[in-house]
Amino acid sequence: GENVEQHPSTLSVQEGDSAVIKCTYSDSASNYFPWYKQELGKGPQLIIDIRSNVGEKKDQRIAVTLNKTAKHFSLHITETQPEDSAVYFCAGGGSKQGGKLIFGQGTELSVKP
Amino acid sequence: GAVVSQHPSWVICKSGTSVKIECRSLDFQATTMFWYRQFPKQSLMLMATSNEGSKATYEQGVEKDKFLINHASLTLSTLTVTSAHPEDSSFYICSAREGRQVQETQYFGPGTRLLVL
């Protein structure tokens, strides 16, 4: 079945710097890759997603890139702000997973003012 | 974006009692809903997938007789933890999707924190 690996597990950056979180997946049939942000004590919130027919997607300070050949995708946050501090989860899914998303282990991002 | 609510947001119960958690899609019809549990500092663990009008599909290792899931309408799914024990204490989160395709956005509820004494 699908396996999604996420790195790093923790990431600390200075306010204004960029942050990059990387994920790899195992099933080449996976074709949908969302990213979620989870603040302490809350449910995950979708921040951006990408489908396998595109290689990059951007929404203001957030961008996601997808390399289907290498089976990895990355989240890029530019001009980080303290309110970006949270746990970020990547996920992958496709028809072979029965409509389910497989989540990475999470990255705890800390943005220091 | 679409809104998913959960009720209650937190619950404390005695060991051996049953607890029901509700998950509602407020502004869309959810053909598919998912139930996850999450332990501190860990990722989301899928417990089961429910499609409206049919029986839930449970993940390996999840006891279907202990975690009863009902998805009776397109806007409501419930999770009942039967005969709860302290090891069932966790953060339970539901998510909802309008259709059955994985490429459709999955929206999460705010979670329910369960503490079993």
Side-chain angles (χ1 to χ4, degrees):
Chain A
E2 173 68 290
N3 184 47
V4 177
E5 296 285 335
Q6 183 172 346
H7 299 280
S9 57
T10 61
L11 179 60
S12 182
V13 299
Q14 287 295 134
E15 182 177 0
D17 288 350
S18 295
V20 181
I21 303 170
K22 298 182 179 182
C23 289
T24 60
Y25 61 99
S26 60
D27 190 346
S28 57
S30 290
N31 54 12
Y32 176 62
F33 307 95
W35 286 87
Y36 288 88
K37 174 183 179 182
Q38 186 178 28
E39 297 178 341
L40 192 63
K42 297 183 179 180
Q45 179 184 14
L46 179 73
I47 55 172
I48 196 167
D49 58 9
I50 191 167
R51 292 167 177 81
S52 61
N53 56 342
V54 297
E56 184 174 358
K57 184 176 179 180
K58 190 173 181 180
D59 182 4
Q60 299 183 338
R61 297 186 297 109
I62 294 173
V64 57
T65 58
L66 171 64
N67 183 325
K68 289 172 56 180
T69 303
K71 290 189 282 188
H72 67 69
F73 55 111
S74 301
L75 177 71
H76 304 253
I77 306 174
T78 58
E79 300 173 29
T80 54
Q81 301 166 3
E83 49 266 37
D84 294 329
S85 297
V87 178
Y88 292 79
F89 291 99
C90 65
S95 57
K96 283 178 66 177
Q97 286 79 44
K100 300 180 294 188
L101 290 176
I102 309 300
F103 283 84
Q105 296 85 347
T107 296
E108 185 173 2
L109 173 65
S110 175
V111 181
K112 299 185 185 304
Chain B
V3 179
V4 176
S5 70
Q6 276 184 247
H7 178 80
S9 56
W10 60 270
V11 57
I12 301 173
C13 70
K14 292 182 178 180
S15 186
T17 60
S18 294
V19 174
K20 180 184 281 189
I21 302 170
E22 292 186 349
C23 175
R24 293 182 185 273
S25 56
L26 298 185
D27 50 3
F28 68 101
Q29 293 187 322
T31 302
T32 308
M33 286 184 166
F34 302 88
W35 286 96
Y36 296 82
R37 66 188 296 183
Q38 186 179 37
F39 292 107
K41 301 279 189 181
Q42 293 190 22
S43 187
L44 300 149
M45 187 191 84
L46 180 65
M47 300 174 67
T49 302
S50 72
N51 291 304
E52 186 267 338
S54 56
K55 289 184 178 180
T57 302
Y58 290 81
E59 294 300 299
Q60 192 172 9
V62 178
E63 299 175 60
K64 62 181 180 180
D65 294 330
K66 180 169 184 63
F67 298 99
L68 302 179
I69 292 171
N70 184 283
H71 190 168
S73 79
L74 285 171
T75 58
L76 173 65
S77 177
T78 60
L79 167 68
T80 301
V81 183
T82 62
S83 187
H85 292 285
E87 57 266 30
D88 298 323
S89 299
S90 189
F91 191 47
Y92 292 86
I93 315 171
C94 73
S95 69
R97 188 174 68 200
E98 193 163 9
R100 296 175 188 256
Q101 301 301 316
V102 71
Q103 296 89 346
E104 297 178 64
T105 302
Q106 210 176 116
Y107 298 97
F108 282 83
T112 295
R113 191 161 301 282
L114 171 63
L115 177 61
V116 185
L117 301 176

